[in-house]
Amino acid sequence: MFRFKKTSIVLGVLAGVLCAGSAWAETKMRLAVETTGGDPTNVMLSAFRDELKASAGDELAIEFFDGGSLGDENALAELIRAGAVEVIPLGSDGVAALDEKYSIFDTPFLFSGKEQARAVLDGELGDLMAASLREKANLEVLAFGELGVRVISNSKKAIMTPADLSGMKIRTPNSPTRIMAFQTLGAAPTTLALGEVYMGLKQGVIDGQENPLSVIKEFSLFETQPHISLTNHIYTPITLVMNGQAFDALSDDLKAKVKAAAEASVQKTRDLSDESDSKLVAEFEKSGVTVTRPDIASFQTAAAPVREKIAEIVTPEFMAKVEGAIR
């Protein structure tokens, strides 16, 4: 009930603020993201906006809301389905809340690395996931960007094997499959909003967290974490989505421009990911952080049961399709 009221208020305010300002254009498009500049999700949406402005010109009235001005990712997911915003980027846990098939991205070591993940998301796997989200939530997948590969940071000790995680309070997103994965590895997963992680780490509410290196940098988490372990346990895409009805209402020409802008934004996130991975390890080490390269084989073995449990959630048939697309 509370969420319904909150969403209704936001919808009302949004309608009042926006209706006059965009009446002059043939088509209005409202873009929203919970993060600020520099975060990969913000980079993707900003690049999409800039590319679309350049190609569509006066055909579109584009309005951009970032920094959580319209709410967090969960609130934005409600707004886009209600048609109050047209385009948002979603992390894996946000999109999995709309379509359980996206829980596959919480499968540890699903991909051999970033290059494989990019190739299959640009091809058969991307098509498979896009069709599922359209059917489940009536959202059009414009493209798959890149948040990056996730690593583990903590304030206790170097993590070399899963045994080192035993009992450690590791912050995870509020994703049932991510929580289950870290429970399987022996940790004590704790959910906490990303914006609260820095203080949670500093105050000892949590012992560690898992995110791509770029997020650890963006939110200054390395300042409270003397240990980073390059587990690279999960590849997280950014799913850039558009309200399905709004997409269908576009002319063929505008649809093509929207898709082209989305593809351009993908490259921005991948470039950012590669740049972060190439320079941040040295930067963190220079600041006093101990960066370790763990025994990946031991993590793969310990995480094997997670794949079976996720297959039960997305259905074994769908998991077989995913694995077929990856091969």
Side-chain angles (χ1 to χ4, degrees), residues 178-196:
R178 192 81 55 81
I179 292 169
M180 178 263 292
F182 273 86
Q183 287 173 334
T184 302
L185 292 173
T190 304
T191 59
L192 198 65
L194 184 56
E196 300 172 10

Side-chain angles (χ1 to χ4, degrees), residues 29-44:
M29 189 172 292
R30 294 156 293 199
L31 321 180
V33 62
E34 72 169 325
T35 55
T36 55
D39 183 86
T41 54
N42 193 296
V43 167
M44 186 172 196

Side-chain angles (χ1 to χ4, degrees), residues 24-25 27 51-62 254 257:
W24 58 272
T27 304
E51 291 288 335
L52 193 55
K53 278 184 176 180
S55 64
D58 292 342
E59 294 179 80
L60 288 176
I62 298 175
L254 271 180
K257 289 175 179 176

Side-chain angles (χ1 to χ4, degrees), residues 146-162:
E146 182 168 296
L147 193 62
V149 290
R150 306 180 85 93
V151 303
I152 301 172
S153 68
N154 83 95
S155 59
K156 298 294 186 181
K157 59 183 176 180
I159 296 172
M160 298 303 296
T161 69

Side-chain angles (χ1 to χ4, degrees), residues 279-291:
K279 73 176 186 179
L280 286 182
V281 168
E283 183 177 325
F284 291 152
E285 288 178 330
K286 187 176 180 180
S287 70
V289 175
T290 299
V291 180

